[in-house]
Amino acid sequence: MPDTTPADARPTVRPAAEVPTVPVTAGTGTAMHVLVGPAQGRTSFALRRFIMQPGGGMPLHTNLVEHQQYVLRGRARITIGDTVHEVAADHTLFIPAGVPHSYEVVEGPFEFICVVPDAPDKVTLVGAC
C-alpha cells in the first residue's frame, strides 16, 4: 500500500500541559490549546482543547468549518441554531459549518475537545457590525 502521509507531517508525542495556551479573544474566560495541528505540518484535522472558566463562554457566532466536540468536564448551556442544549461530561456535539452557536458556562471550568478540518476558518459574531 503506498504511503499517503504528507512529506511535511511530523510525528509528535508530548504532554498536553506543554502545549501553549492561547486566549480566545472573542470569548470571556476562554482559552484554547491546539494539541495537534499546523505545528505538525499538513494534517487533515486540528485537535483542540478549550477551557472556559466559571462565568465564561462564547457569544453567538459562526465558523467556516464544522466542529466535532467531546465534553471532558463541567457543564454548559450551548445554543446551536435555535436550540439550547445543557451539556456535561461525555456529551458529544456536531456543529455544521455556518450554523450559529454559543457557549455559556453553567459549572466551570468547562472543558471540551474540538476537532475541526485543518482548513481556513473565520469566527463571525452574529449580530455584530
Side-chain angles (χ1 to χ4, degrees):
M1 178 172 233
D3 182 7
T4 58
T5 303
D8 70 341
R10 290 177 295 287
T12 305
V13 177
R14 62 186 171 178
E18 292 179 5
V19 177
T21 300
V22 178
V24 177
T25 57
T28 303
T30 299
M32 174 182 67
H33 304 263
V34 179
L35 301 170
V36 176
Q40 284 68 50
R42 192 171 39 149
T43 61
S44 298
F45 300 95
L47 177 66
R48 310 175 306 177
R49 179 175 65 192
F50 284 80
I51 301 171
M52 298 179 173
Q53 298 304 320
M58 285 284 294
L60 194 63
H61 66 283
T62 61
N63 294 83
L64 298 177
V65 298
E66 70 182 52
H67 293 20
Q68 299 175 17
Q69 300 176 342
Y70 177 73
V71 178
L72 298 169
R73 66 180 174 150
R75 292 186 311 118
R77 195 170 292 114
I78 300 178
T79 300
I80 303 173
D82 295 328
T83 306
V84 177
H85 305 270
E86 295 270 343
V87 301
D90 292 329
H91 278 95
T92 62
L93 300 91
F94 173 67
I95 304 169
V99 173
H101 55 288
S102 66
Y103 303 79
E104 177 187 352
V105 175
V106 174
E107 178 186 304
F110 176 66
E111 184 174 343
F112 62 95
I113 296 293
C114 182
V115 176
V116 295
D118 192 3
D121 190 18
K122 179 181 177 186
V123 174
T124 302
L125 298 180
V126 174
C129 297

